[in-house]
Each structure stands twice: as C-alpha cells, then as structure tokens.
Amino acid sequence: MNIDKLCPSRQKMLTLLPPSAQGCHCQMKYRLSVLLALSALGTTSYTPLALAASGSTTDTHTAPKTETGSVAQEKRNSQAHKILLATPVKGKQEDTVVTGHTASGALADYNKTTATLGPLGTRKTLNTPFSIMTVPHDVIVNQQSRNINDLMAYMPSVQLEIRGDPHTSRPQSRGFEADVVANTRIDGLNAVSTTPYAAEQFDNLQVLNGLAGALYGAQNPAGTFAYNLKRPTEDRLNRLVVGVDSIGSLMENADLSGRLGRNKWFGYRLNLLHGDGTTYVQDSWMRRNLVSADFDFRIDDKTTIEVDASHYTYAQRGQASGFAYSGTIDLPKAPDLSNPGLGEKYSGYNMETNTFLAKVKHSFNENWSVTLGGLYQDAIRQAFGTTNTILNNAGDYSQTIAAATTANDFRVGSNLAYINGRVRTGFITHDLVIGTNGYMMGNYNPTRGESFRLGTSNMYNPRQLSGSQPYYHGRYRSAYINNQTFIVGDTLQFNKHWSIMGTLSWSWLRSESWSNPTAATRTHTSYNKSAAFSPMTSLIYKPTENQTAYFTYGRAFQAGGIAPAGSANENEITAPLRSEEYEVGYKVMIRKLQINIAGFRMTRPYSFLDPTTRIYGNFGTQRNYGVEAQVAGYILPNLSVLAGMTWLDAQMGDTGVTSTSHKEVVGAPPVQANLLLDYRLPRTLGDFASRLAFNANVHYTGRRAANVQNTTFAASYVTLDLGTRFAFRAAHHPWMARFGVSNATNERYWASVYPTSLNGANANANNSAYAGLPRTFHFTIEADF
C-alpha cells in the first residue's frame, strides 16, 4: 500500500502523531513508523478513523463476544494495536490491517468500560445499576503496585484493616467490614481475602460497592472485591521486568503469553516473580515468590476450558507491627516507620497461598450460554509478630511477641454454574440467568502457642529489644461454613430508554464452631438456615446512549457472629444478620471519560453483649449513608485520570451502653478522596520529550473515630505519590523505564484503625492502629519481546 496515496485527511493526520510509536525493523522505516504511530493514535479512539476501526458498539446489556480482562487489555496496550486503513482501489475499498507494538501501560488507559457481575456476566459499566470502580491493568504497571493493598488505595469508598503487615488486610466498603471469604472473588469464585496476593498476578481489581447478596448469596454488605487474573493473549507476549524498591528489595518478573496449535486452540500465560531484600527500614527483609500458570483450551468455536494454578509465598522480618490501645488512651501521632526498633529481626510472618481453579464456557448459540467453575484454595500463615500496646498518651508502649492460637490455615472450595440467555416476548427483550454459586470453608488453629514479653519502648524513640521467635503446636478444626445460593434473574428492556433488572436468590447456610480441645470445657455449636431470601431490583433509564440513571433496592443476609469468651452463651453462633440498601445513581460517558455519582443508605443489624443478661445477640443496628463520585478515562488525549471522592456518615445505633451508642463507626472517614493523573508530553516538544510521561497521585483521608466511645480520633492526612516513565526502543523491541516515589512528603499517618470487632461495640474492647509507610522509591525497567 502506498502511503503517499492516502486521502488528504489521513495525510494531515500523519503530521499530528507522537513519535513513541515510531521506529520499526525494516527498510521502509519512515512509512512503517508512520503506520505504527497511526495505530497508537487509533487506539485512543479520538479520531473518526479509530471509531471506524472499532466497529459497532456492544449490546446495551450483554456482550457475549466482547473480550474482557487481560485479553482485551493486552491487545490495547502491548502486542496488538490494530487499525483499519481504507484505501480506494479502482472504485473499491481495500482494507489493510497494520499492527503496532508498544510497552504495557504506555497509553495510560484508566477507564475499564466493562464489569464482571457474576451470574449477570460481563456488562458495560455505563449500563449497570451499581456503583463500580476498577483499578485497571495500566494503573497496576505504571504505579508499580506490589500487592492488593496498593490497589485499594485508589478506591475512595474502601478502607483497610491491616492484619499484621501492609501486604495483608481485611477490606471494608462504605464503612462495613467484609467477610473473610464471602465478599472476595478470583475470576468470579470465592477466595480468602486475608492472605497476601501479588499485584503482578492480576489484570485488574474491581469493587462493586453496596449490597450484592442477590448475585452472590450470603455476604456482608461491604460490596464485592473481584480480583481478575491475567489471561492468555491472542498474540505472543514475552515481558521481562526487573526493579528495585527502597531500601534494597530486588524484583524480577517474567510474564509470558501466547497461543499455539491449529487455529490457536491452546493459550498459555506464565507469570514468574521473585522479590527479595531489605524493605523500608534497616534490619528488615521481605521475600516474595510467585509461580502462576493460566491456560485456555478452545475445544471448538463454542467451547473453552480455562485452567489456572498459582503458588505464592510471602515472608517478612523486622517490619513495624501494629499498636493496640484501650478506650482510655488518646491515640498519639503516628510514628515514623523507617526508625529501626518498632519491629524486631526475629518477628514476622511466613505465608503461603495455593490456588487452583477451572472454568468451562460454552455458547449454544448467540443468545444462550453456560458457565461452570470451581476453585480450591489453601491459605497458610505462620504468624509470630510483635504487638505494641500503648501505655500512655506520650507514645510509650509495651512490646510482646506471640505465636498465637488464632486461625493459621484457611481451606476454601467454591463453585459456580450459570445459564444465561436472551429471549423476546413481544416488544420486551429479556436477559435471563439461572444458576448457583457458593463455597465451603474450614478454619484450622494451633492448640497451643507461646508468648513472651520483650520490654518497653517509645514509638518516637524506639529501641530494639532482645528476644527469640515463639512457636505454636498442635492443630484442630475451629470452624466450618457451607454457603450455597440459588439465583434467578431477568433484565427486561422495554426500549432504548427504559429497563428493569430483577434478581432473586435463596441461600442455604450452615455454620459450625468448635472450641480448643485443650480447653477445660469443650463445646461444639452449629447453625443452619435454609432458603434465606435476598431480592434486588433496579429501574434503569437511559436518556441518551451515553447516559444512565438508576434506582436500586436490595436486601441480603450474612452469617451471624460467634459469642465471645465471657458471655453467657459463649461460642454460640447468632442468627444471620439481614441488611438493606437504597441506592440512586447517574453515569455519563463524555468521549473517553466516564463520570459516576451515587447516593446510598444502608442498614444492618449487629451483635453486642447485653450488659444485664450477658447474652451476646443481634440487638443493634448500624446505619450508613453517603455519596460517591468517580471519574475515569481521558480528560485530554494525553491526560488520563482515575479519581473519586466519598462522603460517608457511618453510625452505630443503640449498643446497650450509653458511652458507645449512636457513635461514629471506628475507622470510617467522613470524607475520603483520591486523584491519579497521568500526562504524556506532546510531540510538539520533540522526539525525546514525547517519550516521557509523568503521574501524580494525591490521597486524602479525613479524621476517623479511633475508639468505639469516639473519645479519640486518628488525624486526617494527605499523601502524594509521584512517578515518571520513559519509552524507548532497543534491539527492535519496546522498552519502558519507570521511577516512582510513594509518600513523597514523608507524611506520618495512621493508615488503618479498627476495634477488636466491627460487628459489635464492646466498650472494653481494644483497638488497633497501623501507621502508614514512610517515603519509598520504586524503579523498574521493562522489555517486551
């Protein structure tokens, strides 16, 4: 094809292209570099040419043929930038496909336009009647994220209960605490939330805020945290990344993907990771190792089998632990975690997460499909960390180290089976679903542990204390949960403006609890609930194709709590807790920028210990309401944004104790916001400058209640992250160098505060606080072959 014979409009476009896509491996260097640049510009979909190349848009409600996850993402960002050039040839139109090649994240595409919604399948986020925010692949690589906690920071409605170290947390959404298993999913299947995961393993993290019991069965009203794995790419991908985090933790990552065989029937994705070295404080170290394999088997053009397996180990020593404090202590200012002495060389964690899952997807025709899946996960942890108990308001603390008898092994088996179809009755289109999902989980605890008191110190002038690693012994099953849900749903589309979505579920829940066999009195309690009903319905109005307004009402229930030691019904399981939500929202897509606004009111019962009868039961009500705003996409062709803000009023009702009744929920900030901007320099500044990009992330968390009596608060804080990257070519392949600084201003703040249990409000309960990380540096260099 002769470029010189392109139509005048295309000739004019060639002068506007950035050189980041230039450089190619053939004698026609100038012509092909122009085509590659045109391909990169077309990917942003800011020109009529790019719109022509993309074809028609997906269906309003379902997109059975839309590629999602890493397949589509890698096609946009790595190996398969494709654009359709139409050239007239003797009165006919000749189509030529040109393929470009850039490093991952180069385009900073921060708006993921589709969402995975369990039994509802993959739908356009714009058309869903839920508040959904996604941290996409480009954010993960450009921000050099290392764990799930790094990704949660971009979600303005999410808070974290850090459990032991910054790599392991229990998430919250809208002020409600998530369950250990029920609220977390890997590729749609329930998985453990309180175990470490490598960010490098996932294509994106999606959070559906609010109730989702009608879709996923019994779960807390904390929304759904969906981790979506990287999947095999259509084109070959060989990506090597090496880097270093301060002070001196080295990292190597290999991401290999492609397809083999006739018609590319076999797809593979291998992800290998090793990280080892000193972390943000002297006399500490951390080691991460990941082996992940993801395979696709295309049995025929209608049937695909997906098989995934991963082994991830995480170990750390010498990092600062959390601080425990009673309701009579005013939480002091957060310490600087870069000071040695807050942690000990012999304290830390060994964690291992093994995950295996498989799915079968079959399309009967363009309207009907079936999906079957199963997952098994074993999350093991050895915890022998220190605990610092604050003694006074001056920051003095007593330090102990313990190998506790809390759960150290979580075994989960989860499943799903969905049939999706589309039918018409008169002028109404129905998107139907019938299916089931659920999980089984067993908890295992040591029978005996060890605990040593190490001494006292001060958080602002800490000193290292001598001691040794404690150990635990024995093993017993402490709990078992079986949660299975039957689901039916229908989305009725009346016309291009109005539709109604309705989903109903019935859950069968079984809970059992066993006391330590070494206890003087052994107990075994159980609870069964059959066909617990959770409905959800939404009214959706689309005034135009790029706008959606909706109202959603839902109810759900979650497993009850276990009566604590000292209660008259110790170790008994309370009845399930039923939640309710009202949500109204508006979404609009302006070119490549999506804006979402949602208002909500949510309530749920909670348990507490009656001060008179000493019975632990479901006596209280938590009421949260607020407003969320989210923005994602391109503000300008060279400027990307991922941002959001949440205003939240989270309040406990009557707790049976005057000092804790009608108080703010601990750790839930009234205002939280995050703003991530990414700017690529324009071509007008020259070839070298146009290969540069800069990003800045500002995070704000407002003042939070730090105990259930609301007598002390964690101060508000602002953190700033800065980064830059430079794209270049070497040996005919794209490379990317990235450098970033987290917490550039070295802000000292409490990253996480929470009470012993958010399920109830015990006036005598201890609270926990974890300080945020100090200033840290990250450098990586990536090569794509």
Side-chain angles (χ1 to χ4, degrees):
M1 183 189 69
N2 190 344
I3 300 178
D4 299 328
K5 293 183 179 180
L6 290 173
C7 67
S9 62
R10 292 196 179 102
Q11 290 179 338
K12 183 179 180 179
M13 288 175 60
L14 296 181
T15 65
L16 304 177
L17 300 175
S20 58
Q22 292 179 3
C24 213
H25 45 286
C26 62
Q27 295 179 352
M28 299 174 64
K29 181 177 180 181
Y30 170 74
R31 294 182 179 181
L32 287 183
S33 64
V34 169
L35 291 176
L36 290 178
L38 192 57
S39 173
L41 182 62
T43 308
T44 65
S45 298
Y46 272 92
T47 67
L49 185 61
L51 292 174
S54 64
S56 59
T57 59
T58 57
D59 184 84
T60 301
H61 293 292
T62 59
K65 295 184 179 180
T66 299
E67 292 175 339
T68 61
S70 60
V71 175
Q73 188 69 41
E74 295 295 349
K75 281 190 172 183
R76 289 194 301 270
N77 292 328
S78 178
Q79 297 273 54
H81 294 320
K82 294 183 179 179
I83 190 166
L84 189 65
L85 302 182
T87 305
V89 180
K90 295 182 179 180
K92 298 182 180 180
Q93 183 165 297
E94 179 186 83
D95 294 336
T96 302
V97 175
V98 180
T99 301
H101 197 138
T102 62
S104 64
L107 299 177
D109 186 0
Y110 291 169
N111 181 24
K112 193 171 188 305
T113 58
T114 60
T116 54
L117 298 174
L120 301 181
T122 300
R123 303 199 175 188
K124 295 176 68 174
T125 306
L126 178 66
N127 299 328
T128 59
F130 311 108
S131 173
I132 299 172
M133 193 168 186
T134 301
V135 178
H137 168 268
D138 284 10
V139 171
I140 296 175
V141 295
N142 287 338
Q143 298 303 109
Q144 304 179 79
S145 301
R146 303 289 185 250
N147 55 66
I148 295 298
N149 282 18
D150 291 344
L151 307 184
M152 296 290 187
Y154 302 104
M155 306 286 190
S157 291
V158 174
Q159 302 87 41
L160 295 175
E161 297 176 23
I162 297 177
R163 301 286 177 158
D165 80 315
H167 282 238
T168 310
S169 296
R170 187 169 179 171
Q172 301 178 67
S173 175
R174 294 180 174 177
F176 291 102
E177 181 185 65
D179 182 77
V180 173
V181 173
N183 295 82
T184 305
R185 292 175 176 264
I186 296 178
D187 274 16
L189 292 152
N190 287 103
V192 177
S193 65
T194 53
T195 193
Y197 293 101
E200 294 87 348
Q201 184 179 0
F202 300 105
D203 176 74
N204 64 80
L205 166 64
Q206 170 192 299
V207 177
L208 188 160
N209 296 304
L211 290 183
L215 300 178
Y216 298 111
Q219 63 173 206
N220 297 15
T224 303
F225 299 84
Y227 309 155
N228 295 304
L229 295 168
K230 293 179 177 178
R231 299 232 55 81
T233 56
E234 289 299 307
D235 299 287
R236 183 173 59 87
L237 167 70
N238 295 318
R239 176 173 297 149
L240 302 177
V241 182
V242 295
V244 61
D245 299 332
S246 57
I247 301 174
S249 183
L250 300 177
M251 183 272 288
E252 309 92 35
N253 177 219
D255 189 2
L256 314 174
S257 182
R259 291 193 173 273
L260 303 172
R262 185 177 181 182
N263 298 322
K264 298 184 177 182
W265 70 272
F266 174 70
Y268 65 91
R269 186 87 180 243
L270 302 177
N271 202 332
L272 309 175
L273 169 71
H274 172 70
D276 194 0
T278 306
T279 63
Y280 56 83
V281 60
Q282 293 288 354
D283 300 322
S284 69
W285 61 265
M286 179 178 64
R287 182 180 299 122
R288 301 190 302 142
N289 289 291
L290 169 70
V291 178
S292 175
D294 309 276
F295 303 109
D296 287 355
F297 303 86
R298 292 176 176 171
I299 307 304
D300 53 39
D301 60 349
K302 294 184 177 181
T303 307
T304 301
I305 299 175
E306 299 176 356
V307 179
D308 308 271
S310 65
H311 170 75
Y312 182 58
T313 59
Y314 168 77
Q316 64 96 338
R317 301 287 188 278
Q319 294 183 7
S321 61
F323 291 84
Y325 57 99
S326 68
T328 61
I329 296 291
D330 289 337
L331 182 63
K333 181 181 178 181
D336 183 355
L337 295 193
S338 63
N339 290 330
L342 293 174
E344 306 295 348
K345 301 178 184 179
Y346 46 85
S347 70
Y349 300 85
N350 296 327
M351 300 191 183
E352 178 180 319
T353 307
N354 299 298
T355 307
F356 310 90
L357 66 91
K359 282 185 178 181
V360 179
K361 299 179 179 179
H362 177 75
S363 297
F364 299 102
N365 51 48
E366 63 180 7
N367 291 326
W368 288 90
S369 64
V370 61
T371 303
L372 306 174
L375 173 146
Y376 173 76
Q377 186 177 68
D378 189 6
I380 306 166
R381 63 186 180 194
Q382 296 176 336
F384 40 93
T386 56
T387 298
N388 302 321
T389 302
I390 300 176
L391 302 176
N392 52 47
N393 299 336
D396 293 326
Y397 63 87
S398 172
Q399 188 174 79
T400 60
I401 187 171
T405 57
T406 54
N408 66 347
D409 191 357
F410 302 87
R411 296 184 179 181
V412 175
S414 56
N415 63 84
L416 62 82
Y418 307 132
I419 297 176
N420 296 86
R422 170 172 288 187
V423 298
R424 292 185 64 89
T425 56
F427 66 93
I428 302 175
T429 301
H430 301 263
D431 289 314
L432 304 171
V433 60
I434 182 170
T436 182
N437 59 45
Y439 68 90
M440 298 175 289
M441 181 184 73
N443 283 5
Y444 297 85
N445 293 44
T447 54
R448 292 183 295 112
E450 294 179 337
S451 178
F452 310 127
R453 184 177 184 275
L454 302 177
T456 60
S457 187
N458 183 276
M459 66 171 64
Y460 308 117
N461 187 27
R463 61 190 182 93
Q464 293 185 322
L465 304 172
S466 60
S468 60
Q469 177 182 330
Y471 295 89
Y472 46 70
H473 310 276
R475 179 185 178 87
Y476 74 100
R477 184 168 68 169
S478 59
Y480 173 81
I481 296 177
N482 189 335
N483 180 3
Q484 194 69 36
T485 300
F486 175 71
I487 302 162
V488 294
D490 186 7
T491 301
L492 299 87
Q493 184 175 351
F494 301 100
N495 52 46
K496 65 180 182 179
H497 298 297
W498 292 95
S499 58
I500 294 176
M501 176 186 296
T503 311
L504 309 175
S505 71
W506 293 264
S507 298
W508 284 258
L509 180 67
R510 176 188 171 196
S511 300
E512 292 187 80
S513 176
W514 292 268
S515 63
N516 193 320
T518 62
T521 302
R522 297 187 61 182
T523 60
H524 170 224
T525 59
S526 62
Y527 183 87
N528 290 275
K529 181 67 175 179
S530 298
F533 181 56
S534 297
M536 182 170 62
T537 185
S538 302
L539 176 64
I540 305 169
Y541 173 62
K542 293 184 66 63
T544 61
E545 181 61 28
N546 69 325
Q547 299 181 71
T548 301
Y550 67 89
F551 170 78
T552 295
Y553 168 79
R555 289 192 302 158
F557 83 104
Q558 68 186 78
I562 300 176
S567 58
N569 56 336
E570 181 177 337
N571 211 42
E572 286 187 5
I573 301 174
T574 70
L577 311 174
R578 295 186 176 274
S579 308
E580 186 176 54
E581 177 190 44
Y582 298 87
E583 179 173 318
V584 60
Y586 171 75
K587 303 180 181 183
V588 61
M589 178 77 79
I590 304 174
R591 294 172 66 88
K592 287 294 180 178
L593 184 70
Q594 182 165 322
I595 303 172
N596 307 330
I597 301 174
F600 58 88
R601 185 184 188 277
M602 303 171 63
T603 58
R604 67 128 186 171
Y606 63 87
S607 304
F608 65 83
L609 186 67
D610 187 286
T612 303
T613 65
R614 306 298 298 172
I615 297 293
Y616 184 82
N618 301 338
F619 307 129
T621 300
Q622 180 181 348
R623 185 272 302 143
N624 295 5
Y625 62 85
V627 177
E628 299 167 337
Q630 304 160 359
V631 181
Y634 292 101
I635 300 176
L636 299 170
N638 281 17
L639 180 61
S640 302
V641 63
L642 180 68
M645 183 178 71
T646 298
W647 174 79
L648 176 67
D649 184 343
Q651 185 182 110
M652 290 289 190
D654 183 15
T655 67
V657 179
T658 302
S659 63
T660 61
S661 294
H662 308 290
K663 298 297 174 66
E664 292 182 24
V665 174
V666 177
V671 177
Q672 186 164 271
N674 197 87
L675 172 63
L676 171 62
L677 293 172
D678 188 286
Y679 180 67
R680 282 83 61 205
L681 296 182
R683 190 190 190 289
T684 54
L685 297 180
D687 178 75
F688 180 86
S690 64
R691 300 175 185 273
L692 279 168
F694 300 91
N695 59 70
N697 185 75
V698 179
H699 180 90
Y700 171 78
T701 295
R703 190 184 76 156
R704 295 149 290 164
N707 63 13
V708 293
Q709 298 92 346
N710 287 188
T711 58
T712 185
F713 292 81
S716 62
Y717 68 90
V718 178
T719 58
L720 172 65
D721 305 331
L722 299 174
T724 184
R725 64 182 182 274
F726 179 71
F728 61 100
R729 297 187 68 87
H732 306 300
H733 296 288
W735 294 63
M736 184 76 77
R738 295 181 175 92
F739 178 75
V741 183
S742 299
N743 191 8
T745 60
N746 203 26
E747 177 84 355
R748 299 181 187 179
Y749 63 96
W750 293 111
S752 175
V753 292
Y754 57 93
T756 302
S757 173
L758 282 182
N759 191 43
N762 185 346
N764 299 318
N766 280 333
N767 307 281
S768 296
Y770 282 81
L773 296 182
R775 182 190 297 118
T776 54
F777 303 90
H778 314 278
F779 172 77
T780 57
I781 186 166
E782 171 190 322
D784 285 20
F785 300 96

